[in-house]
Short mmCIF file of all heavy atoms in Angstrom, two decimals:
data_model
loop_
_atom_site.label_atom_id
_atom_site.label_comp_id
_atom_site.label_asym_id
_atom_site.label_seq_id
_atom_site.Cartn_x
_atom_site.Cartn_y
_atom_site.Cartn_z
N GLU A 335 69.36 -87.41 10.95
CA GLU A 335 68.89 -88.39 11.92
C GLU A 335 68.14 -89.54 11.27
O GLU A 335 68.18 -90.67 11.75
CB GLU A 335 68.00 -87.71 12.95
CG GLU A 335 67.64 -88.61 14.12
CD GLU A 335 67.03 -87.84 15.28
OE1 GLU A 335 67.02 -86.59 15.22
OE2 GLU A 335 66.58 -88.48 16.25
N THR A 336 67.46 -89.31 10.15
CA THR A 336 66.77 -90.38 9.45
C THR A 336 67.67 -90.91 8.33
O THR A 336 68.83 -90.50 8.21
CB THR A 336 65.45 -89.87 8.84
OG1 THR A 336 65.72 -89.03 7.72
CG2 THR A 336 64.63 -89.11 9.87
N ASP A 337 67.12 -91.78 7.49
CA ASP A 337 67.92 -92.28 6.37
C ASP A 337 67.56 -91.58 5.06
O ASP A 337 67.94 -92.03 3.99
CB ASP A 337 67.78 -93.80 6.22
CG ASP A 337 66.36 -94.25 5.98
OD1 ASP A 337 65.44 -93.42 6.02
OD2 ASP A 337 66.15 -95.45 5.73
N TRP A 338 66.82 -90.47 5.13
CA TRP A 338 66.53 -89.62 3.97
C TRP A 338 66.90 -88.20 4.29
O TRP A 338 66.51 -87.67 5.34
CB TRP A 338 65.03 -89.65 3.66
CG TRP A 338 64.54 -90.81 2.88
CD1 TRP A 338 65.22 -91.94 2.54
CD2 TRP A 338 63.22 -90.96 2.31
NE1 TRP A 338 64.40 -92.79 1.82
CE2 TRP A 338 63.18 -92.22 1.67
CE3 TRP A 338 62.09 -90.15 2.33
CZ2 TRP A 338 62.04 -92.68 1.01
CZ3 TRP A 338 60.94 -90.62 1.68
CH2 TRP A 338 60.92 -91.86 1.03
N ILE A 339 67.62 -87.54 3.39
CA ILE A 339 67.79 -86.09 3.49
C ILE A 339 66.50 -85.41 2.98
O ILE A 339 65.71 -86.02 2.29
CB ILE A 339 69.01 -85.59 2.69
CG1 ILE A 339 68.85 -85.95 1.19
CG2 ILE A 339 70.29 -86.16 3.27
CD1 ILE A 339 69.89 -85.31 0.30
N GLY A 340 66.29 -84.16 3.36
CA GLY A 340 65.19 -83.40 2.79
C GLY A 340 64.16 -82.90 3.76
O GLY A 340 63.40 -81.99 3.46
N GLY A 341 64.04 -83.52 4.95
CA GLY A 341 63.14 -82.98 5.97
C GLY A 341 61.70 -82.84 5.55
O GLY A 341 61.05 -83.82 5.20
N GLN A 342 61.20 -81.60 5.59
CA GLN A 342 59.79 -81.37 5.24
C GLN A 342 59.44 -81.98 3.87
O GLN A 342 58.36 -82.51 3.67
CB GLN A 342 59.50 -79.86 5.18
CG GLN A 342 59.56 -79.11 6.49
CD GLN A 342 59.01 -77.68 6.32
OE1 GLN A 342 57.82 -77.49 6.22
NE2 GLN A 342 59.91 -76.72 6.31
N LEU A 343 60.37 -81.88 2.93
CA LEU A 343 60.12 -82.31 1.56
C LEU A 343 60.10 -83.82 1.40
O LEU A 343 59.55 -84.32 0.41
CB LEU A 343 61.18 -81.72 0.63
CG LEU A 343 61.15 -80.19 0.47
CD1 LEU A 343 62.45 -79.71 -0.14
CD2 LEU A 343 59.97 -79.77 -0.39
N THR A 344 60.71 -84.56 2.32
CA THR A 344 60.89 -86.00 2.11
C THR A 344 60.50 -86.80 3.33
O THR A 344 59.45 -87.44 3.36
CB THR A 344 62.35 -86.29 1.74
OG1 THR A 344 63.21 -85.85 2.82
CG2 THR A 344 62.76 -85.61 0.47
N SER A 345 61.31 -86.79 4.36
CA SER A 345 61.10 -87.65 5.52
C SER A 345 59.85 -87.28 6.30
O SER A 345 59.23 -88.13 6.96
CB SER A 345 62.31 -87.63 6.45
OG SER A 345 62.58 -86.31 6.93
N GLN A 346 59.44 -86.00 6.24
CA GLN A 346 58.21 -85.58 6.89
C GLN A 346 57.01 -85.62 5.93
O GLN A 346 55.87 -85.49 6.35
CB GLN A 346 58.37 -84.18 7.47
CG GLN A 346 59.43 -84.12 8.56
CD GLN A 346 59.70 -82.71 9.04
OE1 GLN A 346 58.81 -81.85 9.07
NE2 GLN A 346 60.94 -82.44 9.42
N ALA A 347 57.30 -85.78 4.64
CA ALA A 347 56.30 -86.04 3.60
C ALA A 347 55.30 -84.91 3.43
O ALA A 347 54.13 -85.16 3.15
CB ALA A 347 55.58 -87.36 3.87
N VAL A 348 55.75 -83.68 3.53
CA VAL A 348 54.84 -82.54 3.43
C VAL A 348 55.03 -81.86 2.07
O VAL A 348 56.09 -81.28 1.82
CB VAL A 348 55.09 -81.51 4.56
CG1 VAL A 348 54.09 -80.35 4.47
CG2 VAL A 348 54.99 -82.17 5.91
N PRO A 349 54.04 -81.91 1.18
CA PRO A 349 54.17 -81.17 -0.08
C PRO A 349 54.43 -79.70 0.19
O PRO A 349 53.96 -79.15 1.18
CB PRO A 349 52.82 -81.39 -0.76
CG PRO A 349 52.23 -82.59 -0.10
CD PRO A 349 52.74 -82.58 1.30
N PRO A 350 55.18 -79.03 -0.67
CA PRO A 350 55.60 -77.65 -0.39
C PRO A 350 54.43 -76.71 -0.16
O PRO A 350 53.51 -76.63 -0.97
CB PRO A 350 56.37 -77.26 -1.64
CG PRO A 350 56.84 -78.53 -2.24
CD PRO A 350 55.76 -79.53 -1.94
N ASP A 351 54.48 -75.97 0.94
CA ASP A 351 53.61 -74.82 1.17
C ASP A 351 54.40 -73.59 0.71
O ASP A 351 55.46 -73.29 1.27
CB ASP A 351 53.25 -74.69 2.65
CG ASP A 351 52.27 -75.73 3.09
OD1 ASP A 351 51.12 -75.70 2.61
OD2 ASP A 351 52.62 -76.59 3.93
N GLU A 352 53.88 -72.91 -0.30
CA GLU A 352 54.66 -71.85 -0.95
C GLU A 352 53.82 -70.60 -1.14
O GLU A 352 52.59 -70.62 -1.03
CB GLU A 352 55.16 -72.35 -2.30
CG GLU A 352 56.06 -73.57 -2.18
CD GLU A 352 56.40 -74.18 -3.53
OE1 GLU A 352 55.53 -74.16 -4.44
OE2 GLU A 352 57.53 -74.68 -3.69
N GLY A 353 54.48 -69.51 -1.49
CA GLY A 353 53.81 -68.26 -1.74
C GLY A 353 53.05 -68.27 -3.06
O GLY A 353 53.28 -69.12 -3.93
N VAL A 354 52.15 -67.31 -3.20
CA VAL A 354 51.28 -67.29 -4.37
C VAL A 354 52.01 -66.95 -5.66
O VAL A 354 51.52 -67.25 -6.75
CB VAL A 354 50.10 -66.30 -4.16
CG1 VAL A 354 49.21 -66.77 -3.03
CG2 VAL A 354 50.63 -64.89 -3.87
N TRP A 355 53.18 -66.32 -5.57
CA TRP A 355 53.92 -65.93 -6.78
C TRP A 355 55.14 -66.84 -7.01
O TRP A 355 56.06 -66.46 -7.73
CB TRP A 355 54.37 -64.49 -6.67
CG TRP A 355 53.27 -63.53 -6.39
CD1 TRP A 355 52.21 -63.20 -7.23
CD2 TRP A 355 53.07 -62.76 -5.21
NE1 TRP A 355 51.40 -62.30 -6.64
CE2 TRP A 355 51.89 -61.98 -5.38
CE3 TRP A 355 53.77 -62.63 -4.01
CZ2 TRP A 355 51.41 -61.12 -4.41
CZ3 TRP A 355 53.28 -61.78 -3.04
CH2 TRP A 355 52.12 -61.02 -3.25
N ILE A 356 55.14 -68.02 -6.43
CA ILE A 356 56.34 -68.84 -6.42
C ILE A 356 56.86 -69.18 -7.83
O ILE A 356 58.05 -69.38 -8.00
CB ILE A 356 56.09 -70.14 -5.61
CG1 ILE A 356 57.40 -70.88 -5.32
CG2 ILE A 356 55.08 -71.04 -6.33
CD1 ILE A 356 58.36 -70.16 -4.42
N GLU A 357 55.98 -69.23 -8.82
CA GLU A 357 56.43 -69.58 -10.16
C GLU A 357 57.23 -68.45 -10.79
O GLU A 357 58.01 -68.68 -11.72
CB GLU A 357 55.25 -69.94 -11.07
CG GLU A 357 54.39 -71.09 -10.58
CD GLU A 357 55.11 -72.44 -10.60
OE1 GLU A 357 56.29 -72.49 -11.01
OE2 GLU A 357 54.48 -73.43 -10.19
N GLU A 358 57.06 -67.24 -10.32
CA GLU A 358 57.74 -66.09 -10.91
C GLU A 358 58.78 -65.47 -10.00
O GLU A 358 59.85 -65.04 -10.46
CB GLU A 358 56.71 -65.00 -11.28
CG GLU A 358 55.69 -65.42 -12.33
CD GLU A 358 54.54 -66.23 -11.76
OE1 GLU A 358 54.21 -66.01 -10.58
OE2 GLU A 358 53.98 -67.08 -12.47
N VAL A 359 58.48 -65.38 -8.71
CA VAL A 359 59.36 -64.65 -7.79
C VAL A 359 59.11 -65.18 -6.38
O VAL A 359 58.04 -65.71 -6.09
CB VAL A 359 59.09 -63.14 -7.88
CG1 VAL A 359 57.70 -62.80 -7.38
CG2 VAL A 359 60.15 -62.32 -7.10
N GLY A 360 60.10 -65.05 -5.52
CA GLY A 360 59.87 -65.38 -4.11
C GLY A 360 60.67 -66.55 -3.61
O GLY A 360 60.33 -67.13 -2.57
N CYS A 361 61.76 -66.92 -4.30
CA CYS A 361 62.62 -68.00 -3.77
C CYS A 361 64.01 -67.84 -4.37
O CYS A 361 64.22 -67.06 -5.31
CB CYS A 361 62.05 -69.39 -4.12
SG CYS A 361 62.02 -69.78 -5.88
N THR A 362 64.95 -68.60 -3.84
CA THR A 362 66.32 -68.53 -4.35
C THR A 362 66.46 -69.35 -5.64
O THR A 362 65.63 -70.19 -5.96
CB THR A 362 67.33 -69.06 -3.31
OG1 THR A 362 67.22 -70.49 -3.23
CG2 THR A 362 67.07 -68.47 -1.93
N ALA A 363 67.54 -69.10 -6.35
CA ALA A 363 67.77 -69.81 -7.62
C ALA A 363 67.92 -71.32 -7.39
O ALA A 363 67.46 -72.13 -8.21
CB ALA A 363 69.03 -69.27 -8.30
N SER A 364 68.53 -71.70 -6.29
CA SER A 364 68.72 -73.14 -6.04
C SER A 364 67.40 -73.81 -5.67
O SER A 364 67.15 -74.97 -6.04
CB SER A 364 69.76 -73.37 -4.95
OG SER A 364 69.35 -72.82 -3.72
N TYR A 365 66.51 -73.10 -4.96
CA TYR A 365 65.19 -73.67 -4.68
C TYR A 365 64.40 -73.79 -5.97
O TYR A 365 63.69 -74.78 -6.19
CB TYR A 365 64.44 -72.83 -3.66
CG TYR A 365 63.11 -73.44 -3.24
CD1 TYR A 365 63.08 -74.48 -2.32
CD2 TYR A 365 61.91 -73.01 -3.81
CE1 TYR A 365 61.87 -75.07 -1.95
CE2 TYR A 365 60.70 -73.58 -3.43
CZ TYR A 365 60.69 -74.62 -2.51
OH TYR A 365 59.49 -75.20 -2.16
N ARG A 366 64.54 -72.80 -6.86
CA ARG A 366 63.87 -72.91 -8.14
C ARG A 366 64.43 -74.08 -8.95
O ARG A 366 63.68 -74.78 -9.66
CB ARG A 366 64.02 -71.58 -8.92
CG ARG A 366 63.10 -71.52 -10.12
CD ARG A 366 62.99 -70.10 -10.67
NE ARG A 366 62.47 -69.15 -9.68
CZ ARG A 366 61.21 -69.08 -9.31
NH1 ARG A 366 60.32 -69.92 -9.81
NH2 ARG A 366 60.84 -68.19 -8.41
N ALA A 367 65.73 -74.33 -8.84
CA ALA A 367 66.33 -75.47 -9.52
C ALA A 367 65.76 -76.78 -8.98
O ALA A 367 65.51 -77.73 -9.72
CB ALA A 367 67.84 -75.44 -9.37
#
């Protein structure tokens, strides 16, 4: 609907709220990429 893809990460401008172990475990490989 906007002219930016990404939603929370971009057009809504919200820095990621993530789990406490996000650097080691807790997300998919593509999110880590």
Side-chain angles (χ1 to χ4, degrees):
E335 189 167 353
T336 72
D337 59 355
W338 278 9
I339 60 171
Q342 292 190 75
L343 294 164
T344 60
S345 60
Q346 296 174 33
V348 182
D351 286 295
E352 300 172 325
V354 295
W355 305 294
I356 192 66
E357 302 292 359
E358 297 82 29
V359 65
C361 66
T362 73
S364 62
Y365 185 79
R366 192 165 301 286

